[in-house]
Amino acid sequence: MVLLATGWTAEQIAEVLQIDPNTVRNHFKRYRQDGLKSLGHVAFRGSACQLDAAQLAYLEAHLQSHLYLSAKAVAQWIEDTFDVAYTVSGITALLHRLGYVYKKPKLIPGKADPEAQKAFLAEYEKLKQTKGDADPIYFMDAVHPQHNPVIAQGWIKRGEDREIRSNTGRRRVNINGAIDLNRLEPVVRFDDSINAVSTIALLQQLEQRHPDAAVIHVICDNARYYRSKAVREHLETSRVQLVFLPPYAPNLNLIERFWKYFKKTVLYNRYFESFDDFKSACENFFRHPNQYRGELRSLLTENFAIVGE
């Protein structure tokens, strides 16, 4: 009230106090109506819930199986079901008290098999216990970043927009790579396309890196080029042994987290005028693995999530 009296606007006060401008205006309305006494009770105690315990339990069960896009839609369901009317602000406060927040759901493969994922993790633990001391375990996959910024959230001043230029083409780079959890030094290839030839070349790079290993275990998905006849024939005389993930289980391939970190570092909200500049930025990321080893150490941990349960 003092700031309003000295000429501040509701928007300026809201920005300083990190509240909504309408909250400032509502406080001012209460002050004009009932003076300072009315402000002494603001926000210290909420009103009693309009739903009883049984209704709240029914609402909880309903929200666990239905995803609403707005608080207004939840309020409408409550009114239709219980004949109890809530304002948008009231239902928002109720949802917060029940432990709900407004965020995006996670997409998972529609055919994810949780039991197959659990069985794979059991085999993975067995592999770690029985492999030779000099035998590494790699996670392998390909990524195909496109010459265009990846738009991501960032801190932008309230009331303003931030523009990022985009490219009109659809050119991309194709990267085939593998990473282990001990060295955290990615082995990557930039190829015109990811196929059996690219895969064999990558596996040969891994063998060159580990001359003393009896077996090099490489975990990968079920991409056709990993299961191709040419790759199978190469493996007959190779020290590499492929370990295939269950179908529809990218959550178990730790290199997926590495690719996400790569995109966040190089591509998020960044514009590259030419394709050559874009490709050079991608290549430079992999030339200096030591600079992000600390972040990868905390990111590439074996806290696997089972999806589809």
Short mmCIF file of all heavy atoms in Angstrom, two decimals, residues 187-219:
data_model
loop_
_atom_site.label_atom_id
_atom_site.label_comp_id
_atom_site.label_asym_id
_atom_site.label_seq_id
_atom_site.Cartn_x
_atom_site.Cartn_y
_atom_site.Cartn_z
N VAL A 187 33.30 -42.07 -28.24
CA VAL A 187 33.92 -42.45 -29.51
C VAL A 187 32.86 -42.21 -30.57
O VAL A 187 31.80 -42.85 -30.54
CB VAL A 187 34.37 -43.92 -29.51
CG1 VAL A 187 35.01 -44.28 -30.84
CG2 VAL A 187 35.32 -44.18 -28.35
N VAL A 188 33.09 -41.29 -31.49
CA VAL A 188 32.05 -40.91 -32.44
C VAL A 188 32.60 -40.90 -33.86
O VAL A 188 33.81 -40.76 -34.09
CB VAL A 188 31.44 -39.53 -32.11
CG1 VAL A 188 30.81 -39.54 -30.73
CG2 VAL A 188 32.49 -38.44 -32.22
N ARG A 189 31.68 -40.99 -34.79
CA ARG A 189 31.98 -40.89 -36.21
C ARG A 189 30.94 -39.99 -36.87
O ARG A 189 29.75 -40.08 -36.56
CB ARG A 189 31.91 -42.26 -36.90
CG ARG A 189 32.96 -43.24 -36.48
CD ARG A 189 32.82 -44.52 -37.31
NE ARG A 189 32.85 -44.22 -38.73
CZ ARG A 189 33.97 -44.03 -39.43
NH1 ARG A 189 35.14 -44.14 -38.83
NH2 ARG A 189 33.91 -43.75 -40.72
N PHE A 190 31.38 -39.12 -37.77
CA PHE A 190 30.49 -38.33 -38.60
C PHE A 190 30.50 -38.98 -39.99
O PHE A 190 31.54 -39.01 -40.66
CB PHE A 190 30.97 -36.89 -38.70
CG PHE A 190 30.71 -36.08 -37.45
CD1 PHE A 190 31.42 -36.31 -36.28
CD2 PHE A 190 29.75 -35.07 -37.46
CE1 PHE A 190 31.18 -35.57 -35.15
CE2 PHE A 190 29.51 -34.31 -36.34
CZ PHE A 190 30.22 -34.56 -35.17
N ASP A 191 29.35 -39.50 -40.40
CA ASP A 191 29.25 -40.20 -41.68
C ASP A 191 28.13 -39.62 -42.51
O ASP A 191 27.20 -38.99 -41.99
CB ASP A 191 29.03 -41.69 -41.46
CG ASP A 191 30.25 -42.38 -40.86
OD1 ASP A 191 31.29 -42.43 -41.55
OD2 ASP A 191 30.16 -42.85 -39.71
N ASP A 192 28.20 -39.87 -43.83
CA ASP A 192 27.14 -39.41 -44.72
C ASP A 192 25.80 -40.05 -44.35
O ASP A 192 24.74 -39.43 -44.50
CB ASP A 192 27.49 -39.72 -46.17
CG ASP A 192 28.67 -38.89 -46.66
OD1 ASP A 192 28.91 -37.81 -46.07
OD2 ASP A 192 29.34 -39.32 -47.62
N SER A 193 25.86 -41.29 -43.89
CA SER A 193 24.65 -41.98 -43.42
C SER A 193 25.06 -43.00 -42.38
O SER A 193 26.23 -43.45 -42.35
CB SER A 193 23.90 -42.66 -44.58
OG SER A 193 24.72 -43.65 -45.17
N ILE A 194 24.13 -43.37 -41.53
CA ILE A 194 24.40 -44.39 -40.52
C ILE A 194 23.91 -45.72 -41.07
O ILE A 194 22.71 -45.91 -41.28
CB ILE A 194 23.70 -44.06 -39.19
CG1 ILE A 194 24.08 -42.64 -38.73
CG2 ILE A 194 24.06 -45.08 -38.13
CD1 ILE A 194 25.56 -42.43 -38.52
N ASN A 195 24.84 -46.62 -41.28
CA ASN A 195 24.50 -47.92 -41.85
C ASN A 195 25.47 -48.97 -41.32
O ASN A 195 26.21 -48.71 -40.36
CB ASN A 195 24.53 -47.84 -43.38
CG ASN A 195 25.84 -47.23 -43.88
OD1 ASN A 195 26.89 -47.35 -43.25
ND2 ASN A 195 25.78 -46.56 -45.03
N ALA A 196 25.50 -50.13 -41.96
CA ALA A 196 26.38 -51.20 -41.51
C ALA A 196 27.85 -50.81 -41.64
O ALA A 196 28.67 -51.12 -40.77
CB ALA A 196 26.09 -52.48 -42.31
N VAL A 197 28.20 -50.11 -42.71
CA VAL A 197 29.59 -49.69 -42.91
C VAL A 197 30.04 -48.75 -41.79
O VAL A 197 31.14 -48.90 -41.22
CB VAL A 197 29.76 -49.02 -44.29
CG1 VAL A 197 31.16 -48.46 -44.44
CG2 VAL A 197 29.45 -50.01 -45.40
N SER A 198 29.19 -47.78 -41.48
CA SER A 198 29.50 -46.86 -40.39
C SER A 198 29.62 -47.59 -39.06
O SER A 198 30.50 -47.30 -38.25
CB SER A 198 28.42 -45.78 -40.31
OG SER A 198 28.57 -45.00 -39.14
N THR A 199 28.73 -48.54 -38.83
CA THR A 199 28.74 -49.29 -37.57
C THR A 199 30.01 -50.12 -37.44
O THR A 199 30.65 -50.15 -36.38
CB THR A 199 27.50 -50.19 -37.49
OG1 THR A 199 26.32 -49.38 -37.52
CG2 THR A 199 27.52 -51.02 -36.22
N ILE A 200 30.41 -50.81 -38.49
CA ILE A 200 31.62 -51.63 -38.45
C ILE A 200 32.84 -50.74 -38.19
O ILE A 200 33.73 -51.09 -37.40
CB ILE A 200 31.77 -52.42 -39.76
CG1 ILE A 200 30.67 -53.48 -39.86
CG2 ILE A 200 33.15 -53.06 -39.86
CD1 ILE A 200 30.61 -54.18 -41.20
N ALA A 201 32.89 -49.59 -38.83
CA ALA A 201 34.01 -48.67 -38.61
C ALA A 201 34.06 -48.22 -37.16
O ALA A 201 35.14 -48.10 -36.56
CB ALA A 201 33.89 -47.47 -39.55
N LEU A 202 32.91 -47.95 -36.56
CA LEU A 202 32.86 -47.54 -35.15
C LEU A 202 33.33 -48.68 -34.24
O LEU A 202 34.10 -48.46 -33.29
CB LEU A 202 31.44 -47.12 -34.77
CG LEU A 202 31.23 -46.70 -33.32
CD1 LEU A 202 32.09 -45.50 -32.96
CD2 LEU A 202 29.75 -46.40 -33.06
N LEU A 203 32.89 -49.90 -34.52
CA LEU A 203 33.32 -51.04 -33.71
C LEU A 203 34.82 -51.27 -33.82
O LEU A 203 35.48 -51.64 -32.84
CB LEU A 203 32.55 -52.30 -34.15
CG LEU A 203 31.03 -52.24 -33.99
CD1 LEU A 203 30.39 -53.54 -34.45
CD2 LEU A 203 30.63 -51.91 -32.56
N GLN A 204 35.39 -51.02 -34.99
CA GLN A 204 36.84 -51.14 -35.16
C GLN A 204 37.57 -50.08 -34.34
O GLN A 204 38.65 -50.35 -33.78
CB GLN A 204 37.19 -51.02 -36.64
CG GLN A 204 36.76 -52.23 -37.47
CD GLN A 204 36.94 -52.01 -38.96
OE1 GLN A 204 36.93 -50.87 -39.44
NE2 GLN A 204 37.09 -53.11 -39.71
N GLN A 205 37.00 -48.89 -34.25
CA GLN A 205 37.60 -47.85 -33.40
C GLN A 205 37.62 -48.29 -31.94
O GLN A 205 38.59 -48.03 -31.22
CB GLN A 205 36.81 -46.54 -33.54
CG GLN A 205 37.01 -45.83 -34.86
CD GLN A 205 36.20 -44.55 -34.96
OE1 GLN A 205 35.37 -44.41 -35.84
NE2 GLN A 205 36.44 -43.62 -34.06
N LEU A 206 36.56 -48.94 -31.50
CA LEU A 206 36.52 -49.41 -30.11
C LEU A 206 37.59 -50.48 -29.87
O LEU A 206 38.22 -50.50 -28.80
CB LEU A 206 35.13 -49.97 -29.80
CG LEU A 206 33.97 -48.97 -29.84
CD1 LEU A 206 32.66 -49.67 -29.49
CD2 LEU A 206 34.20 -47.80 -28.89
N GLU A 207 37.79 -51.35 -30.84
CA GLU A 207 38.82 -52.39 -30.68
C GLU A 207 40.20 -51.75 -30.61
O GLU A 207 41.05 -52.19 -29.82
CB GLU A 207 38.74 -53.37 -31.84
CG GLU A 207 37.53 -54.31 -31.75
CD GLU A 207 37.69 -55.51 -32.68
OE1 GLU A 207 38.25 -56.53 -32.22
OE2 GLU A 207 37.25 -55.41 -33.83
N GLN A 208 40.45 -50.74 -31.40
CA GLN A 208 41.74 -50.06 -31.37
C GLN A 208 41.98 -49.38 -30.03
O GLN A 208 43.11 -49.30 -29.55
CB GLN A 208 41.82 -49.05 -32.50
CG GLN A 208 41.84 -49.68 -33.89
CD GLN A 208 41.68 -48.65 -35.00
OE1 GLN A 208 41.65 -47.43 -34.74
NE2 GLN A 208 41.56 -49.12 -36.23
N ARG A 209 40.92 -48.91 -29.42
CA ARG A 209 41.05 -48.22 -28.13
C ARG A 209 41.34 -49.19 -27.00
O ARG A 209 41.94 -48.80 -25.99
CB ARG A 209 39.77 -47.42 -27.85
CG ARG A 209 39.72 -46.80 -26.46
CD ARG A 209 38.56 -45.87 -26.29
NE ARG A 209 38.81 -44.59 -26.94
CZ ARG A 209 38.20 -43.44 -26.58
NH1 ARG A 209 37.32 -43.44 -25.61
NH2 ARG A 209 38.47 -42.33 -27.21
N HIS A 210 40.93 -50.45 -27.13
CA HIS A 210 41.08 -51.43 -26.05
C HIS A 210 41.85 -52.66 -26.56
O HIS A 210 41.28 -53.75 -26.70
CB HIS A 210 39.71 -51.85 -25.53
CG HIS A 210 38.92 -50.72 -24.94
ND1 HIS A 210 39.08 -50.27 -23.65
CD2 HIS A 210 37.96 -49.92 -25.51
CE1 HIS A 210 38.25 -49.26 -23.43
NE2 HIS A 210 37.57 -49.03 -24.52
N PRO A 211 43.15 -52.52 -26.79
CA PRO A 211 43.92 -53.66 -27.32
C PRO A 211 44.05 -54.82 -26.34
O PRO A 211 44.27 -55.96 -26.76
CB PRO A 211 45.29 -53.04 -27.61
CG PRO A 211 45.37 -51.84 -26.71
CD PRO A 211 43.98 -51.32 -26.60
N ASP A 212 43.90 -54.54 -25.02
CA ASP A 212 44.06 -55.60 -24.02
C ASP A 212 42.75 -56.26 -23.62
O ASP A 212 42.76 -57.20 -22.81
CB ASP A 212 44.73 -55.03 -22.77
CG ASP A 212 46.11 -54.47 -23.06
OD1 ASP A 212 46.80 -55.03 -23.94
OD2 ASP A 212 46.50 -53.47 -22.41
N ALA A 213 41.64 -55.80 -24.14
CA ALA A 213 40.34 -56.37 -23.77
C ALA A 213 40.11 -57.69 -24.50
O ALA A 213 40.36 -57.80 -25.70
CB ALA A 213 39.23 -55.39 -24.08
N ALA A 214 39.62 -58.67 -23.75
CA ALA A 214 39.25 -59.94 -24.38
C ALA A 214 37.91 -59.80 -25.09
O ALA A 214 37.72 -60.33 -26.19
CB ALA A 214 39.19 -61.05 -23.33
N VAL A 215 36.98 -59.09 -24.44
CA VAL A 215 35.66 -58.86 -25.02
C VAL A 215 35.29 -57.40 -24.78
O VAL A 215 35.49 -56.87 -23.68
CB VAL A 215 34.58 -59.77 -24.40
CG1 VAL A 215 33.21 -59.50 -25.04
CG2 VAL A 215 34.95 -61.24 -24.55
N ILE A 216 34.75 -56.76 -25.81
CA ILE A 216 34.23 -55.40 -25.68
C ILE A 216 32.72 -55.48 -25.81
O ILE A 216 32.19 -55.78 -26.88
CB ILE A 216 34.82 -54.48 -26.78
CG1 ILE A 216 36.34 -54.45 -26.68
CG2 ILE A 216 34.25 -53.07 -26.66
CD1 ILE A 216 37.02 -53.76 -27.84
N HIS A 217 32.03 -55.24 -24.71
CA HIS A 217 30.57 -55.37 -24.67
C HIS A 217 29.96 -54.04 -25.12
O HIS A 217 30.27 -52.98 -24.56
CB HIS A 217 30.09 -55.72 -23.27
CG HIS A 217 30.75 -56.95 -22.72
ND1 HIS A 217 30.34 -58.22 -23.02
CD2 HIS A 217 31.83 -57.08 -21.88
CE1 HIS A 217 31.10 -59.09 -22.39
NE2 HIS A 217 32.01 -58.43 -21.68
N VAL A 218 29.09 -54.09 -26.10
CA VAL A 218 28.47 -52.88 -26.65
C VAL A 218 26.96 -53.04 -26.61
O VAL A 218 26.38 -53.90 -27.29
CB VAL A 218 28.93 -52.62 -28.10
CG1 VAL A 218 28.25 -51.37 -28.65
CG2 VAL A 218 30.45 -52.48 -28.16
N ILE A 219 26.32 -52.22 -25.78
CA ILE A 219 24.86 -52.25 -25.64
C ILE A 219 24.25 -51.32 -26.68
O ILE A 219 24.67 -50.17 -26.81
CB ILE A 219 24.46 -51.82 -24.22
CG1 ILE A 219 25.03 -52.82 -23.20
CG2 ILE A 219 22.94 -51.71 -24.08
CD1 ILE A 219 24.86 -52.38 -21.75
#
